[in-house]
């Protein structure tokens, strides 16, 4: 049995950072080095003040504080971390391709390939390479081909160990995972040994019955499938939200009634302005691409509909604002409360707020944004990335402020796009008093209580009723 003493993780992002911090905390005998080509990011992880770590996750800074410098290290020296490690996790990003074959659909694996080539170049002794990033099924084969054909004759075992943590609850998800999935070459003795060495690491805190081992292809595909199922539930309830609005039904009541059926279950039935995050859309597009590449058009169409509905939900929410404000928002001030793709994270990737704001900007609205954790720099970068208008226009039309009250002052309408708890506790009376009348309030998260807001005088609209 291989006992792992040194782990290296390439990619110090939302996945690599928290995952390695927990492994280091739970396994004080293993030295964990997280490397990244982004010097700024590594510097932030290494900041004396642990509250300055680059990722906001409840409970994470305390864990980093405990383990950093003891057996958890952050560095930009990728080569020596690879050289010293018996096990290397790959947690680099795999964005949707923005060019060439598979553009807008397939995962761009160039960073994965670069990692593989670097590992092959540096490695002098046997290594276990673990895919942590979500990857298209059969990526392990590509990794193997690169490692074996460019390596120095060392043996590489490839494992798939997909991450199921959700942002905002990463620490809790890592501490008490529903399951840990480990895929490997279980038909060979060497493969079995590699799988076991990763099982041993997780066994330090995860009960054996929650550690599942499979062949590598099942593991890769299970990750895509899990995300597709979760996203599908959100699109299913969001499809119903539109029907609820037409029929007088209330989507929360429908979700509750449906979710009490134990065969269906109550989770992931919260209607919203649309799901965001770095994974759902990317992974489904990826699944659609893979299905199409095998000629499975019906399978591809089935899953693509989840994305189509999600885009529709964001668009119809924005369109409803325009329609309700007497068919024009030109020159009107609209407040966006919440920019992150969900509460308790500073991550904005694919956040509905970006698309709703872009739609409103196209209608010549002036936007004021407040989010408790997202920086102005990030908000402008998100809008600039869409390339809809010159960057300078985004800066003149969008203002980012430091409090919700300031954001709502003198505005025609307020839209709640992230379910931050603090939005429930705002002084809504003062906000109402300071707004132009009629004062419109659009709740894209069903976060606020309708009755009290209507009593204050708001024209209240919540998605799904
Ligand atoms: C990413 C993917 O989005 C997700 O699909 C996958 O499951 C895990 O990796 P995340 O950790 O959220 O998730 O990405 P990100 O926060 O962008 O972190 C990736 C890091 O890898 C970045 O800090 C980037 O600088 C680093 N990187 C990228 C390298 O160190 N080397 C590279 O060659 C490419
Ligand atoms: C997801 C998966 O949950 C996780 O297992 C995987 O590893 C990465 O992708 P994440 O994207 O961090 O995690 O957050 P998640 O809680 O799944 O939410 C995704 C999006 O769906 C968010 O925008 C959220 O607001 C939205 N959502 C979620 C809803 O609109 N309604 C729901 O009921 C649940």
């Amino acid at each position: 049995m291989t006992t792992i003493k040194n782990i290296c993780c390439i990619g110090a992002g939302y996945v690599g950072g928290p995952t390695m911090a927990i492994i280091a905390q739970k396994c004080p005998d293993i030295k964990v080095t997280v490397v990244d080509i982004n010097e700024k990011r590594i510097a932030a992880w290494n900041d004396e003040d642990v509250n300055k770590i680059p990722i906001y996750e409840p409970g994470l800074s305390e864990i980093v504080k405990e383990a950093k410098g003891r057996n958890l290290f952050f560095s930009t020296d990728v080569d020596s971390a690879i050289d010293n490690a018996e096990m290397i996790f790959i947690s680099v990003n795999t964005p949707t391709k923005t060019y060439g074959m598979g553009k807008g659909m397939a995962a761009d694996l160039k960073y994965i390939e670069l990692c593989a080539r670097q590992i092959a170049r540096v490695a002098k002794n046997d290594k276990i390479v673990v895919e942590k990033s979500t990857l298209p099924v059969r990526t392990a084969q590509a990794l193997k081909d690169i490692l074996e054909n460019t390596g120095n004759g060392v043996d590489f075992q490839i494992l798939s160990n997909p991450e199921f943590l959700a942002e905002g609850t990463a620490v809790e998800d890592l501490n008490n995972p529903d399951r840990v999935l480990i895929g490997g070459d279980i038909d060979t003795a060497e493969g079995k040994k590699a799988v076991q060495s990763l099982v041993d690491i997780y066994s330090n805190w995860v009960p054996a019955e929650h550690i599942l081992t499979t062949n590598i292809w099942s593991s890769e595909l299970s990750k895509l499938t899990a995300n597709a199922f979760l996203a599908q539930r959100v699109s299913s309830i969001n499809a119903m939200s539109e029907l609820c609005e037409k029929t007088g039904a209330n989507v929360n009541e429908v979700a509750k009634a449906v979710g009490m059926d134990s065969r269906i279950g109550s989770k992931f039935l919260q209607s919203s302005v649309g799901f965001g995050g770095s994974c759902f859309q990317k992974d489904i597009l990826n699944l659609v691409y893979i299905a199409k590449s095998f000629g499975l058009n019906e399978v591809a169409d089935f899953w693509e509909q989840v994305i189509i509905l999600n885009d529709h939900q964001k668009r119809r929410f924005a369109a409803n604002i325009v329609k309700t404000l007497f068919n024009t928002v030109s020159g009107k001030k609209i407040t966006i409360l919440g920019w992150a793709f969900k509460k308790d994270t500073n991550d904005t990737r694919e956040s509905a707020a970006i698309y709703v704001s872009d739609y409103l900007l196209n209608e010549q609205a002036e936007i004021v944004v407040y989010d408790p954790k997202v920086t102005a720099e990030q908000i402008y970068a998100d809008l600039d990335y869409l390339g809809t208008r010159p960057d300078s226009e985004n800066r003149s039309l969008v203002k980012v402020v430091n409090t919700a009250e300031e954001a709502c002052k003198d505005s025609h309408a307020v839209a709640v796009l992230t379910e931050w708890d603090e939005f429930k506790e705002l002084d809504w009376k003062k906000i109402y008093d300071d707004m132009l009348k009629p004062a419109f309030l659009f709740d894209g998260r069903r976060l606020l209580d309708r009755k009290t807001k209507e009593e204050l005088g708001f024209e209240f609209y919540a998605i799904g009723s």
Side-chain angles (χ1 to χ4, degrees):
M1 199 186 299
T2 326
T3 311
I4 304 296
K5 287 279 157 218
N6 267 291
I7 288 178
C8 155
C9 172
I10 310 179
Y14 284 89
V15 170
T19 309
M20 292 303 127
I22 298 279
I23 291 183
Q25 186 201 31
K26 305 286 187 190
C27 313
D29 298 335
I30 300 178
K31 180 178 171 193
V32 181
T33 308
V34 190
V35 293
D36 201 297
I37 47 174
N38 183 336
E39 288 177 16
K40 223 173 112 190
R41 211 166 207 183
I42 290 297
W45 281 109
N46 279 327
D47 201 295
E48 293 275 303
D49 179 357
V50 285
N51 293 315
K52 297 226 174 89
I53 57 174
I55 282 157
Y56 172 72
E57 267 305 331
L60 180 61
S61 55
E62 289 82 351
I63 295 167
V64 171
K65 190 171 173 185
E66 178 189 333
K68 199 166 70 176
R70 179 188 71 191
N71 65 327
L72 176 64
F73 301 90
F74 294 92
S75 160
T76 50
D77 187 352
V78 185
D79 279 6
S80 73
I82 292 174
D83 188 20
N84 291 326
E86 296 107 32
M87 183 178 272
I88 302 159
F89 286 79
I90 303 185
S91 298
V92 298
N93 41 332
T94 50
T96 303
K97 272 187 89 175
T98 53
Y99 56 89
M101 202 169 76
K103 179 177 165 183
M105 302 280 280
D108 193 340
L109 298 181
K110 77 174 166 205
Y111 302 127
I112 300 283
E113 180 171 344
L114 282 173
C115 287
R117 290 187 186 278
Q118 191 165 9
I119 295 169
R121 179 169 55 74
V122 172
K124 297 197 275 293
N125 47 13
D126 296 353
K127 307 275 184 209
I128 298 170
V129 177
V130 186
E131 298 177 341
K132 198 50 148 162
S133 304
T134 305
L135 298 167
V137 60
R138 297 204 77 85
T139 303
Q141 190 59 49
L143 271 179
K144 206 171 170 52
D145 290 345
I146 294 167
L147 289 169
E148 282 175 358
N149 291 308
T150 49
N152 320 336
V154 303
D155 181 55
F156 292 104
Q157 282 299 323
I158 298 169
L159 303 180
S160 157
N161 173 218
E163 191 47 75
F164 295 106
L165 67 81
E167 288 175 34
T169 54
V171 171
E172 172 58 21
D173 295 344
L174 286 161
N175 274 331
N176 299 304
D178 286 349
R179 80 310 207 179
V180 167
L181 180 57
I182 301 173
D185 194 357
I186 46 179
D187 296 328
T188 66
E190 282 305 304
K192 266 198 200 122
K193 215 169 97 184
V195 168
Q196 189 57 42
S197 64
L198 188 51
V199 170
D200 290 343
I201 292 174
Y202 283 107
S203 298
N204 281 294
W205 77 98
V206 180
E209 62 274 21
H210 289 224
I211 304 179
L212 194 65
T213 56
T214 65
N215 83 32
I216 197 152
W217 319 122
S218 302
S219 173
E220 287 182 337
L221 188 57
S222 298
K223 172 63 197 262
L224 292 183
T225 309
N227 273 350
F229 271 54
L230 291 169
Q232 167 270 318
R233 286 178 67 97
V234 178
S235 277
S236 292
I237 198 69
N238 280 344
M240 290 306 150
S241 74
E242 191 171 13
L243 200 52
C244 286
E245 289 165 32
K246 299 286 180 216
T247 55
N250 175 317
V251 76
N252 277 8
E253 292 175 356
V254 172
K256 184 161 185 201
V258 169
M260 279 172 77
D261 185 327
S262 62
R263 293 168 302 176
I264 296 173
S266 61
K267 292 183 181 156
F268 270 73
L269 290 180
Q270 174 64 47
S271 180
S272 67
V273 57
F275 59 76
S278 70
C279 285
F280 283 0
Q281 172 159 319
K282 168 173 71 77
D283 289 353
I284 293 180
L285 288 173
N286 205 335
L287 196 61
V288 169
Y289 184 73
I290 295 167
K292 277 196 181 144
S293 70
F294 287 112
L296 308 179
N297 292 325
E298 290 77 8
V299 176
D301 291 348
F302 177 78
W303 289 111
E304 191 165 17
Q305 201 59 37
V306 173
I307 304 282
I308 292 173
L309 201 286
N310 195 51
D311 288 339
H312 170 67
Q313 187 79 344
K314 293 180 269 190
R315 219 172 24 245
R316 83 178 181 89
F317 183 84
N320 182 49
I321 295 179
V322 178
K323 207 169 80 213
T324 310
L325 270 68
F326 317 108
N327 288 315
T328 177
V329 290
S330 178
K332 291 182 182 167
K333 181 171 157 182
I334 314 270
T335 303
I336 303 289
L337 291 185
W339 194 265
F341 81 97
K342 59 190 272 196
K343 74 170 178 179
D344 292 342
T345 177
N346 62 347
D347 193 351
T348 65
R349 287 176 287 183
E350 292 301 329
S351 179
I354 303 169
Y355 298 95
V356 170
S357 299
D358 189 57
Y359 186 104
L360 296 172
L361 287 168
N362 282 342
E363 294 286 332
Q364 304 183 342
E366 289 171 22
I367 302 280
V368 186
V369 187
Y370 167 70
D371 185 288
K373 289 288 173 197
V374 180
T375 62
E377 191 189 355
Q378 184 62 49
I379 291 168
Y380 290 125
D382 290 337
L383 287 169
D384 293 348
Y385 183 77
L386 296 181
T388 314
R389 64 193 69 74
D391 295 0
S392 58
E393 243 170 73
N394 285 329
R395 272 147 202 78
S396 62
L397 292 172
V398 180
K399 236 176 98 185
V400 182
V401 298
N402 292 323
T403 66
E405 285 77 9
E406 191 186 345
C408 297
K409 198 167 181 332
D410 298 327
S411 75
H412 287 82
V414 174
V416 175
L417 299 187
T418 312
E419 73 284 21
W420 287 103
D421 290 331
E422 67 173 69
F423 296 160
K424 281 189 277 196
E425 312 304 330
L426 295 173
D427 184 348
W428 284 102
K429 162 126 186 43
K430 175 155 179 20
I431 289 177
Y432 175 79
D433 289 343
D434 288 348
M435 282 174 67
L436 298 181
K437 307 295 173 331
F440 294 98
L441 179 52
F442 296 88
D443 186 353
R445 293 288 184 164
R446 298 192 64 91
L447 181 76
L448 306 174
D449 174 51
R450 170 187 293 273
K451 194 159 163 279
T452 51
K453 302 304 165 293
E454 283 179 345
E455 278 165 10
L456 288 173
F458 281 106
E459 298 284 331
F460 188 82
Y461 165 89
I463 209 132
S465 57

